[in-house]
Amino acid sequence: AQSVSQHNHHVILSEAASLELGCNYSYGGTVNLFWYVQYPGQHLQLLLKYFSGDPLVKGIKGFEAEFIKSKFSFNLRKPSVQWSDTAEYFCAVNAPMNYGGSQGNLIFGKGTKLSVKP
Amino acid sequence: NAGVTQTPKFQVLKTGQSMTLQCAQDMNHEYMSWYRQDPGMGLRLIHYSVGAGITDQGEVPNGYNVSRSTTEDFPLRLLSAAPSQTSVYFCASSYSIRAGSNTIYFGEGSWLTVV
């Protein structure tokens, strides 16, 4: 079955620690990949996206992600987290239209909650 | 530029009541969709539309109805509310029918409680 897996349900870090959140997907062929962030009580905001080209993608607020096609992965990284990064992070994949008839809908992982201790 | 607008933001319903969550976008987007967000489940697709007059089911369509009579609006109807429909609902839109080829924009969410 088509799926997006996020490895960690809850990550707790101290400020200035480095962050890496895992994301794997199970689609074949061409994919588009996204990371969204949801701050407490707020809506989803796009952090970064990958459609094609350089597999290392830089997003807002110092986040970056690397697409590794051979590993079906799109891990999110940040060298030094801040207390304000406390939020829930969602990986999402666009299933191509010719794969399962999904019409291009975004499929989300279950999310990773990040808590940053000051 | 309002983007994607959802109303109401908060709603409490009694079991068996019906209601409509409104979603409107002013970006002339072809693609619109509804997701529900539940703790530990991420976001799951309820229904989507690739253009006016065209709708289709997503992963969790049961108990919900949609229509797309205009490009701008995509209301979500709960036919007979159940406690299992207590959730946060997000409307989303995108320019292209190939939704992932363009950024998807999300509304601010509608918090629904069914008692």
Side-chain angles (χ1 to χ4, degrees):
Chain A
Q2 302 167 359
S3 66
V4 177
S5 298
Q6 292 185 238
H7 309 306
N8 306 101
H9 177 64
H10 192 186
V11 173
I12 302 172
L13 295 173
S14 298
E15 275 195 317
S18 64
L19 169 71
E20 181 161 3
L21 301 182
C23 173
N24 286 89
Y25 61 94
S26 65
Y27 300 98
T30 302
V31 293
N32 302 311
L33 299 148
F34 305 81
W35 276 97
Y36 285 87
V37 60
Q38 186 179 34
Y39 298 102
Q42 296 191 22
H43 62 290
L44 291 163
Q45 300 176 39
L46 181 66
L47 267 182
L48 47 80
K49 59 189 177 184
Y50 173 80
F51 292 156
S52 63
D54 188 344
L56 185 61
V57 180
K58 295 193 182 300
I60 61 171
K61 304 187 181 187
F63 286 90
E64 65 178 30
E66 185 175 12
F67 170 49
I68 303 179
K69 189 174 181 179
S70 61
K71 295 185 178 180
F72 298 90
S73 70
F74 190 55
N75 292 354
L76 181 71
R77 300 195 291 248
K78 186 171 184 179
S80 175
V81 296
Q82 301 172 324
W83 176 79
S84 58
D85 293 324
T86 295
E88 190 160 16
Y89 293 81
F90 293 93
C91 181
V93 176
N94 160 232
M97 287 177 63
N98 60 351
Y99 187 92
S102 67
Q103 295 287 334
N105 293 301
L106 273 181
I107 307 298
F108 283 86
K110 293 186 177 181
T112 298
K113 288 185 180 177
L114 172 65
S115 299
V116 180
K117 298 183 291 184
Chain B
N1 189 355
V4 180
T5 304
Q6 289 182 233
T7 57
K9 188 157 186 175
F10 300 97
Q11 182 73 48
V12 179
L13 282 179
K14 293 183 179 179
T15 298
Q17 285 185 317
S18 63
M19 78 156 296
T20 299
L21 298 177
Q22 302 289 347
C23 177
Q25 51 88 11
D26 61 357
M27 298 174 281
N28 200 30
H29 284 171
E30 287 186 340
Y31 172 87
M32 296 184 74
S33 57
W34 278 100
Y35 289 84
R36 60 177 288 174
Q37 183 182 20
D38 302 291
M41 300 295 291
L43 279 82
R44 292 179 292 170
L45 183 67
I46 305 171
H47 285 285
Y48 66 96
S49 168
V50 298
I54 305 169
T55 63
D56 207 343
Q57 296 181 350
E59 181 185 355
V60 288
N62 292 340
Y64 306 95
N65 207 354
V66 292
S67 61
R68 186 93 179 270
S69 56
T70 67
T71 299
E72 294 76 20
D73 300 300
F74 190 47
L76 177 73
R77 298 183 188 83
L78 279 70
L79 308 172
S80 177
S84 61
Q85 294 178 303
T86 294
S87 189
V88 183
Y89 292 84
F90 288 97
C91 180
S93 74
S94 174
Y95 175 73
S96 171
I97 61 170
R98 293 190 58 187
S101 298
N102 292 278
T103 301
I104 290 187
Y105 297 85
F106 283 86
E108 295 192 347
S110 296
W111 275 253
L112 176 65
T113 301
V114 183
V115 298

